[in-house]
Amino acid sequence: MSINDAKAGTRSPIGIVVVASLMLFSMFFGAGNLIFPPEVGVSSGTNFWPATLGFLAAGVALPVLAIIAVAISGQSVRDIGNHGGKFFGVAFSVIAYLAIGAFYALPRTGAVSMETAVTPLLGWEGTFANGAFNVVFFLIALALAWRPNSIIDTLGKFLTPALVILLVVLITVATTTNPRMPGTPTEDYASSPFVTGLFEGYNTMDAIAGLAFSIVIVSSLRSKGFSKRGELLRGTIIAALIAGVLLASIYLGLAWIGQTMPNGSSYDSGAALLADASNLTLGTVGQAVFSAIVILACMTTAVGLISSTSEFFAMLVPKTTYHMWACLFTALSIAFAFQGLDTVLSIAVPFIVFLYPPAISLIALTLLQPAVKRWVIFYWAFRLALWVSVLWSAATSLGAPLDFSPGQSVGLGWVVPTLLAFIIGVIIDAATSGRKEP
């Protein structure tokens, strides 16, 4: 079916793209996306705007650019990863999907739902309650993800509008009830507010999720009639941009709540702050609203993660099916979530530290290549830059003394070495202009 067929149907192409953007928003907007912005708002104090812009750069701009990069290339994450060599393509994509899937982000959706939504509202706690909740939570997510082509409707038409309405109600009431009272920035936000906010945005892992979620939005739009290359590219880019604007708006609202809460610095987490903001402004109904927001946010993200990781591994191992992988990842998520949020985070941190430098490098080079391909085709530019970022990231994770690199003290020491490797690669490519990309 072409886009003309879509026009002849019950829904216009514009309507399909809007629904797809809502689906994408809900897949991105999970537990961390709800909790981190108010923490930035409180901790940044009078340095609110540079800190928030840093958060938006990593939490919104990078994920949107990741989706656009995959859409422009017309390939999968594994295919664009192959620019670093076939081993890099497989290894990077597998680690990325496992990190945002069964090893971290997926079990976190269940663990956060239990600890920040169910226990405060209903008082359920303990091993049995935790296990029972996560079994029910992930089985519902599995059921919603069972038909991957229907996810655009499940999330975009039903769950996401409910989530957005609840968020708008909470943000509007909370930000208009109390005056803004920015405090003194914490030490990190006082010395480098933008970079500190940037790393808070990193913690959402949405840049990596953007690479992974591209497989869902492309297949969803294709199933709705966007079969031609140009139609699919435009639809994906517009959906990503709309989702990005909506994400940025919600993040700003949540961060602003952190600036208006009395004694905001006394809270040990954004979840506790938002829970109290709900109670203070909406009374007992507020806790129910907050719990509904948390569960909806986590559920929509869980559905997207099960779908994207299962589609990827079904393509990677053709003899297996989407449903086999979906059941496996659901079972693993239940097992990890059963251990509690602290266990999930202890597994995840090394993945986060390791993956971001090569992920950002891959996104940047993939976006840059079409602009300069008339003059040079990146071959060694990709390989040298990506592998330097990988090696530097690995050395940083292992605690190697790399303070000689500019920005290493704030976690950006990989930038200059990767840039130098890229320049050397471009020079080699320009000198061997007959070499084509793989």
Side-chain angles (χ1 to χ4, degrees):
M1 183 173 73
S2 69
I3 200 166
N4 292 324
D5 298 318
K7 290 178 180 178
T10 58
R11 190 187 305 158
S12 69
I14 295 175
I16 293 172
V17 171
V18 170
V19 172
S21 68
L22 291 175
M23 174 194 72
L24 190 57
F25 165 83
S26 68
M27 290 165 64
F28 278 129
F29 195 86
N33 310 72
L34 181 66
I35 294 170
F36 294 140
E39 293 178 354
V40 173
V42 170
S43 301
S44 61
T46 53
N47 284 338
F48 175 81
W49 286 111
T52 303
L53 289 175
F55 183 87
L56 296 180
V60 177
L62 278 178
V64 170
L65 290 175
I67 291 175
I68 293 174
V70 177
I72 289 176
S73 71
Q75 300 168 313
S76 68
V77 177
R78 179 186 174 185
D79 289 332
I80 65 173
N82 283 343
H83 290 307
K86 290 187 177 181
F87 175 79
F88 178 91
V90 173
F92 174 81
S93 55
V94 167
I95 294 173
Y97 272 102
L98 288 177
I100 65 144
F103 286 176
Y104 172 43
L106 191 49
R108 187 178 73 167
T109 60
V112 169
S113 295
M114 180 65 187
E115 294 186 19
T116 63
V118 176
T119 299
L121 181 65
L122 302 177
W124 296 352
E125 56 185 346
T127 302
F128 177 79
N130 186 42
F133 171 80
N134 279 290
V135 168
V136 173
F137 178 90
F138 284 111
L139 287 180
I140 293 174
L142 175 62
L144 293 173
W146 196 252
R147 296 172 57 203
N149 287 340
S150 69
I151 289 177
I152 187 173
D153 295 317
T154 302
L155 299 186
K157 291 173 63 178
F158 303 112
L159 296 182
T160 307
L163 171 61
V164 172
I165 289 171
L166 290 173
L167 284 167
V168 170
V169 169
L170 172 62
I171 290 170
T172 301
V173 174
T175 56
T176 57
T177 300
N178 300 314
R180 184 189 179 204
M181 300 176 292
T184 302
T186 60
E187 182 178 352
D188 289 340
Y189 281 103
S191 58
S192 51
F194 181 85
V195 173
T196 305
L198 189 76
F199 276 96
E200 283 297 304
Y202 276 5
N203 290 334
T204 66
M205 290 195 73
D206 278 347
I208 299 167
L211 292 171
F213 288 159
S214 58
I215 193 173
V216 175
I217 190 166
V218 168
S219 63
S220 295
L221 288 175
R222 188 178 287 120
S223 73
K224 294 296 181 181
F226 288 67
S227 54
K228 295 181 180 178
R229 166 69 180 147
E231 297 168 353
L232 191 60
L233 175 61
R234 285 192 298 274
T236 302
I237 291 176
I238 293 172
L241 291 173
I242 294 174
V245 171
L246 186 54
L247 277 171
S249 301
I250 296 296
Y251 288 158
L252 280 172
L254 292 172
W256 199 264
I257 290 177
Q259 295 260 300
T260 63
M261 276 295 289
N263 299 316
S265 59
S266 65
Y267 293 93
D268 59 0
S269 72
L273 185 149
L274 288 177
D276 272 7
S278 301
N279 283 321
L280 287 173
T281 55
L282 297 171
T284 54
V285 176
Q287 181 60 58
V289 170
F290 176 68
S291 295
I293 289 172
V294 172
I295 292 175
L296 273 175
C298 291
M299 179 61 70
T300 54
T301 299
V303 172
L305 291 171
I306 290 173
S307 178
S308 59
T309 53
S310 300
E311 283 197 49
F312 169 75
F313 281 98
M315 289 194 308
L316 185 67
V317 187
K319 292 184 179 181
T320 61
T321 67
Y322 168 88
H323 296 113
M324 290 171 59
W325 287 109
C327 291
L328 174 61
F329 289 131
T330 299
L332 287 174
S333 298
I334 292 172
F336 281 121
F338 188 85
Q339 303 301 316
L341 187 56
D342 290 341
T343 301
V344 173
L345 292 175
S346 67
I347 296 172
V349 170
F351 283 109
I352 297 173
V353 172
F354 175 77
L355 282 173
Y356 259 104
I360 294 173
S361 301
L362 182 60
I363 294 167
L365 295 180
T366 302
L367 290 172
L368 179 61
Q369 174 64 104
V372 300
K373 65 180 180 180
R374 290 179 56 188
W375 299 280
V376 60
I377 298 295
F378 294 164
Y379 180 84
W380 288 109
F382 266 115
R383 280 162 166 72
L384 294 181
L386 290 175
W387 278 105
V388 166
S389 69
V390 166
L391 294 174
W392 195 277
S393 185
T396 299
S397 300
L398 295 173
L402 302 172
D403 293 339
F404 58 87
S405 179
Q408 183 68 14
S409 61
V410 292
L412 297 175
W414 60 273
V415 174
V416 170
T418 301
L419 182 60
L420 291 174
F422 166 71
I423 293 172
I424 294 171
V426 168
I427 293 172
I428 296 173
D429 290 334
T432 56
S433 56
R435 187 64 182 267
K436 299 295 182 183
E437 60 180 338

